[in-house]
Amino acid sequence: MNGEHHYALTATWTGNRGAGTTGYRDYDRGITVSVAGKPDVLASADKPFRGDPARWNPEDMLLASLSECHLLSYLYACVQAGVVVTAYEDAATGVMVEDGQGSGHFREVVLHPRVTVSDAAMVDAATAAHARAHATCFIANSVNFPVRHEPTILIAGD
């Protein structure tokens, strides 16, 4: 499938406490992210940047995007390889470093997928499918830092 795909959302700042951005401490970091036909996502800055820790922040969403993209790419790679996946859970982690000048970057993301397959004979192919998933993940192909995976493969019933 070739083609160009377009995505659109609206991010609305909801944090004006009445005085706008008159000072760094005078406004809330509340944001509502909306996509037509989907539930809104309540977002904010991360807590160290004066955000609301109960809301999603950009770093959370980037990590979630990488994890979900790998998961979906992995399931497809497994279908192609004849691997039957019966469960998948990822405990993804990411490291972001600040540069001391008000900016920063992600150093790396590590995905820790815990995959259950239906048969022991599928373990090697299930492990190899992670490399194929990584190579085809649109989001991992779009970032400028390493995205590694450290999978655990389990066998259903064991």
Side-chain angles (χ1 to χ4, degrees):
M1 172 174 57
N2 290 332
E4 186 173 280
H5 305 272
H6 299 262
Y7 301 91
L9 62 78
T10 302
T12 304
W13 174 52
T14 58
N16 185 350
R17 295 179 178 149
T21 58
T22 55
Y24 185 70
R25 299 177 191 278
D26 297 336
Y27 62 95
D28 187 275
R29 276 53 175 182
I31 301 163
T32 301
V33 180
S34 303
V35 174
K38 298 178 183 180
D40 287 348
V41 173
L42 300 181
S44 183
D46 196 8
K47 185 177 180 178
F49 308 110
R50 304 193 56 79
D52 181 345
R55 292 182 171 216
W56 285 81
N57 61 58
E59 297 81 11
D60 292 333
M61 289 192 262
L62 177 61
L63 186 60
S65 294
L66 287 161
S67 178
E68 183 182 352
C69 187
H70 184 84
L71 185 161
L72 294 169
S73 298
Y74 180 77
L75 295 178
Y76 178 69
C78 284
V79 167
Q80 290 182 315
V83 173
V84 178
V85 175
T86 60
Y88 184 115
E89 182 177 301
D90 182 19
T93 60
V95 178
M96 187 184 78
V97 293
E98 294 181 66
D99 67 3
Q101 299 182 19
S103 186
H105 64 275
F106 268 80
R107 179 184 305 147
E108 75 170 350
V109 163
V110 182
L111 307 178
H112 300 95
R114 191 173 167 90
V115 179
T116 304
V117 297
S118 65
D119 189 282
M122 298 175 178
V123 170
D124 289 342
T127 301
H130 283 287
R132 176 75 178 137
H134 179 74
T136 59
C137 173
F138 302 136
I139 307 301
N141 285 321
S142 300
V143 298
N144 64 354
F145 54 85
V147 178
R148 298 186 299 109
H149 53 276
E150 297 176 357
T152 301
I153 308 295
L154 306 170
I155 302 155
D158 281 355

